[in-house]
Amino acid sequence: MGIADRITETLADSAVELNVSDVRIGVKYVSVQLDNGSIGLAYLFPESLRCENMLLSDDSHLAGMNAGELLSWLKTNNSLSRSIGLAAANAVIGSPGGSTLSGDVRSVIGLQTGEQVAMIGHFEPLVKDIRDQCSLNVYELDTTMADGLIESSDAMEGLKSCDVALMTGTAIINGTIDGLLEAATDCREVVILGPSTPLVPEAFSGTPVTMLSGVVVIDDKILRVVSEGGGMRRFKQCVQKLNLRLN
């Protein structure tokens, strides 16, 4: 069973008890708010906004739908649907239980000098500090974002020889997460990170994942930020970064 299926199966019972009160489809992110006030986020790939990916007729509404229905969209083949489904999953999760560590992931993963690190997705704020201590390869769909980025198609091979893997949660949306995790079997540390990351340890049981590093929305002003096309830099006052150690 793939990660998307695991997420939907784990959250299904909780989701059917909740309804959707608000959905925002921005330029960079999607947000879903439930009738209990909980808000979830997920990244929106640029191609998701093409006309052929639009989901509903003009007289249809996402608000008012059951959260379980939106959650099931995570298993579709439509990129926009999957983003909405993952945002719904993150809203259902809300604030995760168990022991969490707050703060940036770089402060909790315990990198060792000289280790080989593979970063799937360009997390610019982390790059310099990691490169000062380790050998880092950054794999990215859009290699024009910065100098030295490697095509994401090479990530599978790179993961096989690295010590630490930092993977974007958006890999759940584009369907690459299962292959990436299979390639990372021998890594000492495998972290899924970013605002899209679902903080639900049960969905990653039996995989190489050792930590989930995501966010919990603490201020509904984030809905306006999403609507205005904002991203992580503008999310800062509206979210709390949390890290969940799996093993």
Side-chain angles (χ1 to χ4, degrees):
M1 183 183 295
I3 293 298
D5 292 304
R6 285 168 169 247
I7 294 169
T8 54
E9 183 176 279
T10 301
L11 300 175
D13 289 345
S14 298
V16 297
E17 301 295 327
L18 297 163
N19 291 316
V20 176
S21 61
D22 185 272
V23 176
R24 308 288 174 103
I25 300 173
V27 176
K28 298 178 181 178
Y29 280 86
V30 168
S31 66
V32 171
Q33 184 177 36
L34 304 179
D35 55 6
N36 65 354
S38 182
I39 299 172
L41 302 169
Y43 181 72
L44 189 63
F45 284 96
E47 62 269 22
S48 299
L49 296 176
R50 294 173 183 163
C51 291
E52 61 267 26
N53 283 321
M54 294 297 102
L55 304 169
L56 300 172
S57 60
D58 290 342
D59 59 352
S60 299
H61 301 279
L62 297 179
M65 290 176 62
N66 183 261
E69 185 173 354
L70 279 196
L71 175 66
S72 70
W73 289 10
L74 182 56
K75 299 190 292 183
T76 69
N77 293 322
N78 180 291
S79 179
L80 176 56
S81 297
R82 289 172 70 93
S83 289
I84 294 172
L86 187 54
N90 287 331
V92 172
I93 295 164
S95 296
S99 178
T100 60
L101 300 169
S102 61
D104 202 292
V105 65
R106 61 188 166 191
S107 65
V108 298
I109 55 176
L111 290 174
Q112 300 171 17
T113 300
E115 284 192 307
Q116 179 67 48
V117 179
M119 179 181 289
I120 316 301
H122 183 224
F123 291 89
E124 183 180 7
L126 301 177
V127 170
K128 184 182 183 303
D129 285 350
I130 294 175
R131 282 213 165 112
D132 285 345
Q133 185 180 6
C134 303
S135 175
L136 173 67
N137 288 328
V138 182
Y139 301 89
E140 174 59 53
L141 285 170
D142 181 6
T143 55
T144 65
M145 293 175 62
D147 293 336
L149 300 182
I150 304 170
E151 293 283 351
S152 59
S153 56
D154 294 332
M156 300 282 196
E157 193 62 33
L159 284 167
K160 294 176 183 178
S161 59
C162 75
D163 302 296
V164 175
L166 305 176
M167 299 184 186
T168 173
T170 64
I172 300 169
I173 300 168
N174 67 16
T176 59
I177 187 67
D178 298 319
L180 292 171
L181 291 180
E182 185 176 351
T185 301
D186 294 330
C187 294
R188 176 183 68 80
E189 190 93 70
V190 178
V191 183
I192 311 296
L193 70 158
S196 301
T197 302
L199 298 173
V200 55
E202 298 89 339
F204 296 89
S205 176
T207 74
V209 176
T210 57
M211 183 177 292
L212 299 172
S213 180
V215 302
V216 172
V217 176
I218 57 174
D219 192 330
D220 64 7
K221 290 186 179 68
I222 201 164
L223 300 176
R224 179 172 178 175
V225 176
V226 171
S227 295
E228 293 178 347
M232 194 59 195
R233 285 186 176 87
R234 289 185 61 193
F235 288 169
K236 288 183 179 179
Q237 303 303 315
C238 300
V239 301
Q240 179 183 10
K241 293 181 179 180
L242 289 181
N243 305 285
L244 274 174
R245 171 65 70 181
L246 274 60
N247 55 59

